Amino acid sequence: MSAAPALSPSPRAAGSNVVIDVQGLTKTFGGRAVVKDLTMQVRRGLIYGFLGPNGSGKTTTIRMLCGLLTPDAGSGTCLGLDIRTQAAAIKRQVGYMTQRFGLYEDLSIRQNLEFVARLFELPARANAVDQALQRLGLVERQTQLAGTLSGGWKQRLALAACLLHEPRLLLLDEPTAGVDPKARREFWDHIHRLAGEGMTVLVSTHYMDEAERCHELVYIAYGKVLAQGHADAIVATAGASDLEDAFVRLVDRAQDNFA
């Protein structure tokens, strides 16, 4: 992926409006705390990179934020709605893209989008589908079966489905895992266009070049936030040479603390 240009927040983020504001989130499975006392804020119109090793609690956190999981402890809001008591309302205003392709492989691109539009009970479904196809460059492939698409095109379709109901927040869980560099670059171009329009994005990733394209970062390991802020600030605080070195140092320190 080519070097990213200098980033600046969307003008709509200037008011520092907080879209996600959670404190002390904890979630336990089988007696093991997957997320521990997690506190974070996400401001409107920015791209937040959510980083951490496998099993660090990223997916569990994202699912709590969008109302799919209820935290065992902690509280907070997403889009001004309580994550405990207003989960249904949150789901209708968030676009959530899972790690694995979740649409029907035996339906065409257009049929999948029409199905999602019906789920959201959109009043002008055909128009919404047409706009999504156009927005993600899928018009010429709209009759192609989803199961025949490459990884990059599947990700475009999944993103189009996320945008159908015009969400205020996108939660993307490792959306470019397993796709080629060209498809990754094109996907991130779409993300930056959306952010430029005022969309707030929280995206988990393992790729350092993608992390550098985010406005701010949150790094999680062992279920806890180890660092958050601008990439340059995280590198400086860790006394590291670059972002990858900073995260290695943070994980090493966390291992010592949890040993």
Side-chain angles (χ1 to χ4, degrees):
M1 186 178 293
S2 59
L7 297 176
S8 58
S10 162
R12 287 178 58 180
S16 299
N17 296 324
V18 176
V19 174
I20 295 171
D21 187 8
V22 295
Q23 306 85 35
L25 292 191
T26 298
K27 188 66 181 178
T28 301
F29 294 107
R32 174 176 172 264
V34 178
V35 177
K36 308 172 188 176
D37 195 30
L38 184 144
T39 296
M40 62 183 287
Q41 286 190 342
V42 172
R43 291 179 293 135
R44 188 181 314 279
L46 302 184
I47 302 173
Y48 275 73
F50 200 29
L51 291 89
N54 290 332
S56 60
K58 298 188 302 297
T59 297
T60 299
T61 299
I62 289 173
R63 289 177 177 173
M64 286 191 286
L65 294 176
C66 68
L68 291 176
L69 285 176
T70 302
D72 297 326
S75 61
T77 59
C78 179
L79 298 170
L81 300 166
D82 190 288
I83 61 172
R84 287 181 172 275
T85 63
Q86 297 176 292
I90 291 172
K91 292 173 188 176
R92 297 195 66 85
Q93 299 183 55
V94 169
Y96 174 39
M97 185 171 168
T98 60
Q99 288 181 2
R100 297 183 61 182
F101 184 69
L103 298 174
Y104 291 98
E105 298 203 348
D106 56 348
L107 295 182
S108 70
I109 288 176
R110 185 177 191 93
Q111 288 170 332
N112 268 295
L113 294 178
E114 289 173 342
F115 173 74
V116 174
R118 286 195 295 273
L119 287 179
F120 279 103
E121 301 177 337
L122 299 183
R125 291 194 292 269
N127 183 58
V129 170
D130 287 341
Q131 288 184 356
L133 291 168
Q134 185 68 40
R135 194 175 198 177
L136 274 297
L138 294 166
V139 173
E140 295 183 0
R141 292 177 178 259
Q142 63 182 294
T143 60
Q144 186 174 344
L145 292 180
T148 67
L149 297 171
S150 67
W153 285 101
K154 282 183 176 179
Q155 300 296 41
R156 282 203 201 191
L157 171 55
L159 182 59
C162 285
L163 295 170
L164 266 177
H165 60 298
E166 298 185 356
R168 296 165 57 197
L169 168 68
L170 279 181
L171 301 175
L172 310 178
D173 197 354
E174 297 188 19
T176 59
V179 302
D180 64 81
K182 181 176 183 294
R184 286 204 295 126
R185 182 174 62 249
E186 291 173 347
F187 188 90
W188 272 86
D189 288 343
H190 286 300
I191 296 304
H192 273 273
R193 279 195 289 273
L194 291 168
E197 296 167 5
M199 180 72 74
T200 307
V201 182
L202 178 67
V203 52
S204 66
T205 180
H206 285 298
Y207 300 110
M208 289 300 106
D209 58 337
E210 292 185 353
E212 291 171 352
R213 296 194 68 173
C214 299
H215 297 117
E216 294 195 16
L217 302 173
V218 178
Y219 193 81
I220 181 174
Y222 307 105
K224 297 182 72 68
V225 172
L226 302 185
Q228 54 186 318
H230 192 275
D232 291 342
I234 291 175
V235 170
T237 301
S241 59
D242 55 30
L243 200 52
E244 183 171 0
D245 182 35
F247 291 146
V248 169
R249 290 172 182 245
L250 288 168
V251 171
D252 286 344
R253 293 172 189 171
Q255 287 177 332
D256 292 340
N257 291 334
F258 289 109

